[in-house]
Amino acid sequence: MPPLHQAQRAMRALRRAALQRGVIAILDLGSSKIACLVLRFDASPGAVGEESDVGPMAGQAQFRVIGASVTRSRGIRLGEVDSMQETERAIRTAVQAAQKAANVRVDHVIACFSGGRPESHALFGEADVEGPVVTGADIGRVLAACDMPDLGPSREVLHAHPVHFALDHRTGVSDPRGQAGQRLSTDVHLLTVDAAAIETILLCLKRCDLECAGLASAAYVSGIAALVEDEQELGAACIDMGGGSTGLSIFIRKHMIYADSVRLGGDHVTADISMGLQVPHATAERLKTLHGGVVATGMDDRELIPIGGDSGDWERDRRMVSRTDLIGIMRPRVEEILEEVRARLDFAGFDQLPSQSIVLTGGGSQIPGLDGLASRILGRRVRMGRPLRVQGLPQAATGGAFSAAVGLTLLAANPKDEWWDFEAPPERYPARSLRRAVRWFRDNW
Amino acid sequence: MRTLKLLWQITIPSLRRLPEAVPSGMRRDPAPTLWSYRYQRLMLTPAYRRLVRIGLPSAVAVLMLGGWFAAPGNRAWLLAEIEAVKNAIQERPEFMVHDIEVIGADRALSVAIHGIADFDFPLSSFDIDLAALRDRVTELSAVRRAEVSVAPGGVLRVVVDQRKPVAVWRYSDGLRLIDAEGVMTGMIASRSDRADLPLIAGDGARDAIDEALALFATAEPIKDRVRGLVRMGERRWDMVLDGDLRILLPAEGAVQALQRVLALHEAQDLLDRDVAVVDMRLGQRPTLRLNQPALNVLRNAAASAGYAAPAAPIEEEQ
């Protein structure tokens, strides 16, 4: 097992400690914004108790968002830490504001990030069941029996989900524990990222006096938040259009089976506008959010936007640009992103899935007219996804840009079983080697 | 001079804090410094927060107060100030007492109570220890119970339940007045001071005052002749009548015995005869002792009548 395995297990223990203490922070390290939510976990379930038919929705009644803050991201490019000092400052800003809103000190943080070139691997493992029924140790042995692919140099495992189990001839068993059988096999979805990206983020969190209680891929958690339960069950892809990178994750039977990221995002659109119109980056961002679009109509030719070049020559530099021009700059880049996504989806075999709904979420998905463009390029009907509602979330944080943060809160409340949650079988080497040593002594003396 | 002026022009503007140059369209970076971040986290730690918000101010307050009180002059000043305020309140006319009023006491007792409570009026009612005054008044032997209060109008009111003497007890040191509970209420110089009260004498007479009173009540028909009761051996009573006539009463049932004597007296004028002692100590055998002349007469009469004389005539004592 790689050392991150131990680290992940330590993180899991930390997360358990944080849940017992009742307060944990969620940190979404994006390229354009950093969001921090402070969650308070209650020991007792909410007012919707066992008496009523409507149970607490997937354990979400257990926690409540008591502090939220968003800050402009600094020092993160393409979902990876670019400048550690700046990233630290940004994390400190977000955490401090959220702490202040929650009026509680937070020590444990679960972070998600989108960079690090995530790569999916499918693993298969098979082993005999030792007892009459399958136990956790059997699952651990099956997972240990998986043949590890070559991950490449300096790659670390970020997620390792046992996607489904097969017990003898029965396939599609979601949880074989307690069932009778002889031969257990499993499919594991392994998501690896650059080790350096993880290390840097861990270091940043450590230098902010925070303890990392878990790491997650932004593509995965935004899928959890933006896909409804049927979509997760029947098969769907979630496309999280972030600032620096666009993540995509494919879900079926409530498990992520594929995740990838396109290293293009809203920041590239902004950069195109900035370059095309010769305006500062901030002005370009403002133009994009206020007047942006991807489908030009005749009306847009007549809509002239003062771009406020702010070149210091206010008397002469009073350029206007029509909205059609702006759309003309934005559309090729958005198309490029979506085509890249389509290539990844085709590579992953998305068209083999029984249901092929696509959900667009993330800050970049708020461009008007994007759903039409996306369905034309991706070839399927596309839905705009907004994150699930969780208790206490401020209204400002309910948009698509907060899918990853909300998904991370759901993941913190209902963690999925990962590889490292099952105890690996104890190796029996020490006893055997001791016996051999004793025998050697007996033979020679 | 020019150098100084140049220095002035260089240094002073740099000391002044200029507003940070923020390019328009870009917000100022609100990131906290590492130390302000750490400070805020520290302040959000519950224990530390409590320490700073409660512990520290109280510690400072205690220190300052301690430092102030450490100087003896300050302490004295504070005590004097407190005393002055206290006096200002206590000396208000509403709290002043001008007079004393004794209720339920005769003249002698009243004088005694005035002697005990000789305050120099006007006086604040806070300065009068009513409980102590009540105890001291109650200590007077003539007082059974006393209530002391400050009545509206600035009057110290002493309500006394005075003991009423019911008998005079002749004791070794003189004549004592005894009330119905056997408690001494005072002394008198001579018997004639309280001739209206019956006289008792003897050790332990006080303890049997109930019986003595019952006996006096029984002896109402011969009231004029009764001189007093004498307690004999702290056990029983002798009733002494005029002419040294004694009625020896038993320890038990003295009243009945006296009633028998009175019945005899009514029937046969027993007590008008020349009798020295009527001995009722044995109920079955009341005994009379005659005076010497009567005895002699009785014997002579018996002798002249030819009866067998019970005894020879006794010579009269010289």
Side-chain angles (χ1 to χ4, degrees):
Chain A
M1 282 285 117
L4 188 67
H5 178 177
Q6 302 297 334
Q8 293 270 26
R9 194 166 273 177
M11 282 183 199
R12 193 50 72 95
L14 271 181
R15 180 187 303 186
R16 208 164 289 137
L19 291 196
Q20 256 178 8
R21 196 193 278 184
V23 175
I24 198 165
I26 296 298
L27 206 56
D28 174 20
L29 301 172
S31 319
S32 61
K33 66 156 182 21
I34 288 187
C36 181
L37 306 178
V38 179
L39 309 186
R40 180 185 290 290
F41 285 84
D42 303 322
S44 59
V48 186
E50 288 87 336
E51 304 89 38
S52 67
D53 287 343
V54 185
M57 194 209 285
Q60 285 163 39
Q62 289 173 9
F63 69 87
R64 183 176 175 80
V65 178
I66 55 172
S69 74
V70 189
T71 183
R72 178 168 60 90
S73 177
R74 276 91 73 183
I76 294 186
R77 276 185 66 231
L78 304 174
E80 290 159 24
V81 175
D82 184 46
S83 145
M84 275 187 70
Q85 310 267 325
E86 289 293 306
T87 311
E88 266 173 51
R89 282 154 55 81
I91 292 174
R92 281 207 302 266
T93 315
V95 170
Q96 189 181 45
Q99 274 183 160
K100 201 167 181 179
N103 201 19
V104 69
R105 179 186 163 144
V106 185
D107 288 323
H108 301 275
V109 155
I110 303 181
C112 74
F113 65 104
S114 59
R117 298 179 186 275
E119 240 174 68
S120 281
H121 299 272
L123 271 58
F124 178 74
E126 203 170 12
D128 281 327
V129 177
E130 270 190 341
V133 295
V134 179
T135 60
D138 287 320
I139 297 177
R141 277 188 307 110
V142 171
L143 293 174
C146 287
D147 43 349
M148 207 62 172
D150 182 20
L151 299 180
S154 73
R155 301 286 289 177
E156 288 284 12
V157 179
L158 187 59
H159 291 292
H161 294 137
V163 173
H164 90 278
F165 294 93
L167 191 57
D168 292 338
H169 300 294
R170 290 189 292 132
T171 58
V173 179
S174 59
D175 189 357
R177 273 173 283 192
Q179 299 191 26
Q182 267 113 43
R183 192 95 185 128
L184 184 67
S185 61
T186 183
D187 289 313
V188 177
H189 171 238
L190 203 67
L191 188 70
T192 63
V193 290
D194 270 343
I198 291 185
E199 305 262 313
T200 323
I201 284 175
L202 289 182
L203 206 56
C204 280
L205 292 178
K206 197 176 169 194
R207 282 169 62 164
C208 293
D209 304 336
L210 298 167
E211 288 188 72
C212 185
L215 275 176
S217 158
Y220 174 44
V221 290
S222 55
I224 290 178
L227 297 183
V228 298
E229 211 163 339
D230 305 359
E231 288 168 341
Q232 285 187 19
E233 177 73 34
L234 299 174
C238 173
I239 298 170
D240 179 12
M241 305 186 70
S245 67
T246 299
L248 70 127
S249 54
I250 301 178
F251 281 74
I252 189 164
R253 292 215 191 89
K254 296 190 180 164
H255 285 287
M256 177 177 64
I257 56 167
Y258 180 80
D260 207 337
S261 84
V262 178
R263 290 163 79 79
L264 289 169
D267 284 351
H268 296 87
V269 179
T270 311
D272 285 350
I273 296 170
S274 169
M275 280 185 277
L277 300 180
Q278 301 275 323
V279 289
H281 196 271
T283 313
E285 180 75 29
R286 186 172 145 275
L287 284 177
K288 181 184 84 172
T289 48
L290 286 182
H291 308 285
V294 287
V295 183
T297 60
M299 176 74 170
D300 294 332
D301 281 334
R302 295 191 294 278
E303 187 178 342
L304 291 177
I305 307 160
I307 58 176
D310 200 19
S311 55
D313 188 8
W314 193 82
E315 294 295 333
R316 305 218 172 74
D317 184 12
R318 298 175 68 182
R319 289 171 287 163
M320 309 280 273
V321 69
S322 73
R323 188 157 180 249
T324 312
D325 290 342
L326 187 62
I327 289 171
I329 295 174
M330 287 176 69
R331 182 172 173 126
R333 183 62 89 169
V334 177
E335 275 176 355
E336 185 194 355
I337 293 171
L338 289 172
E339 272 159 14
E340 198 74 28
V341 167
R342 161 127 201 217
R344 302 293 166 105
L345 284 179
D346 288 346
F347 172 74
F350 180 61
D351 43 3
Q352 310 292 319
L353 291 188
S355 159
Q356 298 165 10
S357 54
I358 294 178
V359 175
L360 278 178
T361 185
S365 71
Q366 291 165 352
I367 304 174
L370 184 67
D371 46 350
L373 182 67
S375 53
R376 193 174 307 158
I377 293 177
L378 299 173
R380 284 164 201 99
R381 232 188 73 234
V382 164
R383 178 174 79 84
M384 289 298 151
R386 290 160 69 88
L388 218 62
R389 288 181 207 153
V390 295
Q391 227 184 345
L393 196 68
Q395 179 66 31
T398 52
F402 289 84
S403 290
V406 174
L408 204 50
T409 66
L410 301 180
L411 190 67
N414 285 14
K416 281 254 166 45
D417 282 342
E418 303 234 19
W419 188 330
W420 32 83
D421 292 330
F422 298 103
E423 281 298 324
E427 306 286 351
R428 297 208 178 77
Y429 282 120
R432 209 160 64 195
S433 57
L434 199 69
R435 216 174 297 134
R436 276 170 62 196
V438 169
R439 198 167 54 209
W440 184 84
F441 262 90
R442 207 182 287 149
D443 292 350
N444 289 282
W445 271 283
Chain B
M1 196 61 211
R2 269 173 74 183
T3 334
L4 271 178
K5 201 173 172 187
L6 193 67
L7 263 178
W8 173 265
Q9 281 171 349
I10 288 173
T11 49
I12 291 306
S14 68
L15 288 177
R16 220 172 54 208
R17 173 173 285 196
L18 293 170
E20 278 181 53
V22 179
S24 72
M26 187 181 281
R27 281 191 308 165
R28 200 181 59 82
D29 187 2
T33 62
L34 183 59
W35 285 107
S36 82
Y37 172 75
R38 284 189 179 153
Y39 169 73
Q40 204 193 7
R41 279 171 68 78
L42 191 63
M43 291 308 287
L44 280 174
T45 312
Y48 189 81
R49 192 186 174 87
R50 231 171 291 141
L51 180 73
V52 169
R53 293 178 60 168
I54 300 166
L56 214 60
S58 49
V60 167
V62 164
L63 269 178
M64 283 170 62
L65 275 180
W68 193 80
F69 273 111
N74 287 340
R75 283 202 299 269
W77 174 84
L78 186 69
L79 285 179
E81 201 69 7
I82 288 173
E83 196 61 31
V85 170
K86 212 172 87 182
N87 280 341
I89 293 171
Q90 290 181 354
E91 306 274 311
R92 289 181 66 83
E94 292 87 343
F95 296 129
M96 296 307 279
V97 174
H98 301 283
D99 201 3
I100 185 166
E101 179 187 16
V102 179
I103 297 173
D106 60 5
R107 236 185 101 254
L109 185 59
S110 190
V111 168
I113 290 173
H114 274 98
I116 287 173
D118 59 340
F119 305 112
D120 24 348
F121 295 113
L123 183 69
S124 170
S125 60
F126 287 95
D127 294 338
I128 302 174
D129 188 353
L130 291 178
L133 180 62
R134 177 173 165 273
D135 287 345
R136 284 176 60 200
V137 169
T138 315
E139 269 171 23
L140 290 176
S141 51
V143 175
R144 181 191 286 147
R145 209 175 53 237
E147 287 170 16
V148 179
S149 60
V150 177
V155 175
L156 181 64
R157 180 174 293 164
V158 184
V159 180
V160 173
D161 183 5
Q162 192 177 2
R163 292 185 185 279
K164 220 185 268 166
V166 294
V168 179
W169 182 28
R170 188 184 294 281
Y171 197 60
S172 57
D173 55 352
L175 289 165
R176 297 178 169 189
L177 293 173
I178 300 288
D179 79 338
E181 294 167 13
V183 180
M184 199 190 89
T185 66
M187 301 196 66
I188 49 175
S190 69
R191 175 75 178 95
S192 56
D193 286 349
R194 294 303 299 264
D196 54 325
L197 296 181
L199 179 73
I200 59 174
D203 287 338
R206 192 169 61 167
D207 301 332
I209 185 73
D210 290 344
E211 202 180 12
L213 291 178
L215 288 173
F216 280 122
T218 311
E220 190 65 27
I222 53 168
K223 199 176 93 184
D224 298 339
R225 297 189 57 195
V226 174
R227 298 280 297 278
L229 280 169
V230 181
R231 190 73 172 164
M232 303 302 288
E234 301 188 21
R235 184 170 62 84
R236 59 175 198 84
W237 288 106
D238 273 5
M239 180 169 275
V240 179
L241 306 184
D242 55 350
D244 282 346
L245 173 56
R246 273 179 182 250
I247 303 172
L248 310 191
L249 297 168
E252 305 278 331
V255 175
Q256 285 81 359
L258 186 61
Q259 280 170 348
R260 282 176 70 189
V261 171
L262 290 177
L264 275 174
H265 173 61
E266 198 143 325
Q268 300 188 0
D269 294 335
L270 173 66
L271 300 177
D272 293 340
R273 296 168 189 253
D274 196 2
V275 178
V277 169
V278 181
D279 188 351
M280 299 298 291
R281 286 176 296 179
L282 290 177
Q284 293 89 7
R285 200 186 64 184
T287 311
L288 296 179
R289 190 196 304 162
L290 304 183
N291 281 327
Q292 198 64 43
L295 191 61
N296 288 343
V297 169
L298 184 66
R299 284 181 183 240
N300 290 339
S304 61
Y307 294 135
I314 297 168
E315 292 299 318
E316 195 166 341
E317 282 176 23
Q318 298 301 317

